[in-house]
Amino acid sequence: MNNKKKIMEDLIHGIFLILGLITVGCVFLITVYLIISGVPAIRKIGIINFLFGTKWASTAQDPKYGILPFILTSIYGTAGAIILGVPVGFFTAVYLSKVAPSKMRQIVSFIVNMLAGIPSVVYGLVGMMVLVPGIRKLFNIPDGASLFAAIIVLSIMILPSIISVSMTALDAVPRDYEDASLALGANEIETYFRVSVPAARSGIAAAVVLGVGRAIGEAMAVMMVSGNAAKMPSLFQSVRFLTTAVASEMSYSAGLQRQALFSIALVLFLFIMLINATLNFFMKKGDVH
Amino acid sequence: MKRSLYKGAMKTLMYISVGITCILAFSLIGYVLYRGIPGLSISFLTQKPSYLKGTIGILPDILNTLYVIIASLLIVLPLGVGAAVYLTEYASNKKIVGIIEYAAETLSGIPSIIYGLVGMLFFCQFLGFRTSLIAGALTLVIMNLPTIMRTTEESLKTVPNSYREGAFGLGAGKWRVIRTVVLPGCVDGVVTGCILTVGRIIGESAALLFTAGFAHSVHGFIDGLSSSGSTLTVALYVYAKEQGEFQVAFSIATILLILAFIINLAAVGVSNYYRKKRTV
């Protein structure tokens, strides 16, 4: 009887172990699939030609598969979104965490959560209908669908993650630090920016890195506002990102072209893994405090 | 003098930033409602698109969204809760815990377009599901696994150890303790996880485009899962980008915003409810 019970318990333990390991299995599956389907095209095209080729003409008679334009567009777009989005997100987070009365904090947090809950296609739609024509008129260019439009949409989309992660970090700063600073004669604003912010710096850094991850991985919204032309990036011209390069040709691609799309996904995946590792580094550092 | 200047400057920057955030949110939402509400009607919500009559209805897209949500939750809940139970109740090996948590973090950082691609390769092609709602739902299961795992894990951590010890002391086996003491304690985490997951599924598009496709036909639940269909977000994308039906796109966007609003309210409500319950 007792033996039977033990077997039963072991069996259940085993089942839970398997459930626990499913996430590991998924990561493994994704990695293996991307490598298996992404590597052949890179080998055929040649890694230098693929990564540093400046021309992408997948449907031409003599097809060219250089993805440097996409890599640069993704990097520029992300950098632009960070430059615009991080300051706004940072100051909002400090205000909500330290200055705002609790009712105000609740209301603005709800608004920020609303921004986070808006689907990316809705950002894309509004960008396409308002931002793109607006940019065309304002800067007097033939088409407003450009890197600039994408940067603005991305900077709004990363705001909620930057605000909420920075807020969590700022909330966790021990009240004693701030009290000590106030007791030494610093005013409240000085305390928040010179004591609380430095104490929460690894959390804020994590927020920025998370924003980078969001921006570089966004596909649909960017697809709707960036124009999607496969050439070297320029602020007011139509551009194509790593994500949109995969999405835009997937439905009609075949052969080497299709394989090359998987290779682009692999490159994107490597970028994301690098960003995750950085994020982990900052999160771990935060634990020490 | 210099100090008050610093104080003033920082205060101004904070107010400007909060202002920008709020104005952006309000103008975005306001604009979508302004453009979208005129297109909403009962027939828009309850009909399917008809090329004969030239009318567009989004009933199929609403149903597809619902099916994908139900199917994803049914699969992801046992997996996520089970994984969380393993991490908090069974796992004694720090290394395994570390690996599982690292995997979960990695999963939550992967962009949805990559999920869509791998979902297409694995579920649609390798497992032979073709482009179907179930392939889409399974892709979303992988995407949302970390969320359910994390929220459940957090609420399991709040179950006091004395409960477990009490139950063990009364002679209950491990499984019995989990079933009767631990699992009832994680309901709030599961509910929160479900709300977050539903929100993410409603907003997801890139992962579904290549896995679930974009057909607009009306099916029952079982038939629906095995056939291709677009959710609301995918339908919005197709109507706006491929067909130029902007009125329809804005009306779908309005519905999506209303859903996002309800989900946020529910999340706030649930967290307040359980916080009150816990402090009592």
Side-chain angles (χ1 to χ4, degrees):
Chain A
M1 186 63 201
N2 233 347
N3 213 354
K4 205 172 161 193
K5 203 172 164 188
K6 181 156 186 329
I7 291 173
M8 186 72 184
E9 288 290 346
D10 285 348
L11 190 72
I12 290 167
H13 187 144
I15 292 173
F16 277 115
L17 174 65
I18 292 170
L19 290 176
L21 288 175
I22 281 183
T23 45
V24 184
C26 291
V27 173
F28 188 71
L29 181 93
I30 291 171
T31 316
V32 166
Y33 257 90
L34 283 174
I35 291 175
I36 288 179
S37 52
V39 167
I42 297 182
R43 290 181 72 174
K44 258 180 239 165
I45 299 159
I47 186 149
I48 302 290
N49 281 338
F50 182 68
L51 289 178
F52 300 106
T54 55
K55 198 158 187 283
W56 174 270
S58 56
T59 46
Q61 282 267 301
D62 172 30
K64 292 265 190 292
Y65 300 102
I67 64 163
L68 190 64
F70 309 152
I71 295 179
L72 287 181
T73 305
S74 278
I75 292 175
Y76 292 166
T78 305
I82 292 293
I83 290 169
L84 290 181
V86 166
V88 176
F90 167 73
F91 281 107
T92 308
V94 177
Y95 174 78
L96 290 180
S97 171
K98 301 295 170 191
V99 184
S102 90
K103 210 70 256 136
M104 184 73 174
R105 181 188 156 116
Q106 270 176 12
I107 296 171
V108 180
S109 297
F110 189 84
I111 293 171
V112 171
N113 284 338
M114 256 323 268
L115 272 184
I118 298 177
S120 53
V121 282
V122 176
Y123 281 104
L125 178 67
V126 176
M128 197 171 143
M129 302 301 288
V130 181
L131 201 57
V132 168
I135 289 174
R136 192 188 64 215
K137 276 187 209 131
L138 194 64
F139 297 99
N140 207 7
I141 46 177
D143 187 4
S146 57
L147 179 58
F148 186 62
I151 286 176
I152 292 187
V153 170
L154 285 177
S155 64
I156 301 172
M157 290 182 73
I158 62 172
L159 258 187
S161 3
I162 290 176
I163 294 175
S164 56
V165 176
S166 310
M167 253 174 88
T168 315
L170 285 165
D171 285 345
V173 173
R175 183 74 216 168
D176 300 356
Y177 288 19
E178 285 155 14
D179 288 342
S181 161
L182 291 170
L184 287 171
N187 62 38
E188 284 174 334
I189 299 291
E190 283 169 337
T191 302
Y192 299 146
F193 283 94
R194 296 199 170 148
V195 176
S196 314
V197 168
R201 64 178 180 277
S202 47
I204 296 172
V208 175
V209 179
L210 191 70
V212 171
R214 283 281 138 77
I216 211 164
E218 178 51 44
M220 303 308 277
V222 161
M223 180 114 114
M224 294 166 90
V225 297
S226 66
N228 217 14
K231 53 188 180 203
M232 291 300 264
S234 145
L235 195 56
F236 290 109
Q237 276 179 6
S238 167
V239 291
R240 195 183 285 187
F241 290 71
L242 282 170
T243 47
T244 50
V246 177
S248 57
E249 291 185 17
M250 191 46 86
S251 51
Y252 59 84
S253 60
L256 184 60
Q257 181 195 3
R258 194 175 182 82
Q259 287 180 333
L261 296 183
F262 292 131
S263 310
I264 297 177
L266 180 62
V267 172
L268 178 64
F269 184 67
L270 293 178
F271 267 103
I272 293 289
M273 292 308 263
L274 193 71
I275 291 165
N276 272 352
T278 321
L279 189 65
N280 237 320
F281 170 75
F282 283 121
M283 292 288 204
K284 285 267 156 58
K285 232 172 133 191
D287 291 345
V288 181
H289 273 287
Chain B
M1 182 59 200
K2 213 176 141 196
R3 281 179 67 190
S4 65
L5 205 70
Y6 177 80
K7 187 176 167 182
M10 286 307 179
K11 265 198 159 155
T12 319
L13 282 173
M14 282 197 285
Y15 289 130
I16 292 177
S17 302
V18 177
I20 291 177
T21 308
C22 294
I23 290 170
L24 275 175
F26 281 122
S27 47
L28 235 160
I29 295 167
Y31 182 75
V32 170
L33 296 182
Y34 166 74
R35 293 284 306 262
I37 286 179
L40 288 181
S41 66
I42 298 293
S43 62
F44 179 72
L45 295 175
T46 56
Q47 282 180 358
K48 55 180 183 175
S50 158
Y51 291 104
L52 287 177
K53 286 182 274 179
T55 56
I56 291 176
I58 58 163
L59 178 68
D61 310 319
I62 295 176
L63 287 178
N64 288 334
T65 310
L66 207 63
Y67 296 162
V68 170
I69 290 174
I70 294 171
S72 303
L73 281 184
L74 280 181
I75 303 167
V76 78
L77 276 182
L79 298 184
V81 174
V85 168
Y86 178 76
L87 282 180
T88 49
E89 307 299 320
Y90 283 101
S92 46
N93 186 336
K94 274 237 163 79
K95 227 175 190 163
I96 295 186
V97 175
I99 293 174
I100 293 177
E101 274 172 356
Y102 188 76
E105 271 165 39
T106 308
L107 278 187
S108 50
I110 294 177
S112 47
I113 181 86
I114 288 188
Y115 280 109
L117 209 63
V118 174
M120 180 186 85
L121 289 172
F122 186 68
F123 296 120
C124 303
Q125 292 174 5
F126 182 71
L127 294 185
F129 290 150
R130 285 188 308 236
T131 314
S132 61
L133 287 184
I134 188 68
L138 287 168
T139 310
L140 291 175
V141 164
I142 304 181
M143 264 180 93
N144 287 298
L145 197 57
T147 315
I148 300 277
M149 230 174 96
R150 207 193 54 240
T151 54
T152 312
E153 216 188 321
E154 263 158 31
S155 71
L156 282 178
K157 279 182 188 154
T158 64
V159 175
N161 248 334
S162 53
Y163 288 16
R164 297 186 182 94
E165 283 153 12
F168 281 130
L170 290 172
K174 184 120 193 167
W175 168 232
R176 183 142 183 194
V177 173
I178 290 174
R179 221 175 27 179
T180 55
V181 177
V182 173
L183 283 182
C186 71
V187 175
D188 57 337
V190 174
V191 172
T192 314
C194 283
I195 294 173
L196 291 176
T197 302
V198 170
R200 260 186 96 177
I201 295 177
I202 288 176
E204 187 49 55
S205 42
L208 289 170
L209 207 54
F210 306 124
T211 52
F214 28 77
H216 293 296
S217 37
V218 176
H219 293 287
F221 183 61
I222 301 297
D223 282 346
L225 284 184
S226 56
S227 50
S228 144
S230 68
T231 60
L232 285 166
T233 40
V234 174
L236 190 165
Y237 175 76
V238 173
Y239 281 126
K241 193 88 187 9
E242 320 271 319
Q243 304 183 357
E245 295 274 5
F246 297 116
Q247 176 64 62
V248 179
F250 274 110
S251 297
I252 298 178
T254 305
I255 294 170
L256 289 171
L257 286 190
I258 294 170
L259 291 175
F261 183 73
I262 294 172
I263 285 165
N264 273 327
L265 271 188
V268 172
V270 166
S271 81
N272 283 346
Y273 174 76
Y274 281 107
R275 194 178 309 140
K276 251 184 218 147
K277 213 173 157 187
R278 199 159 281 157
T279 50
V280 167

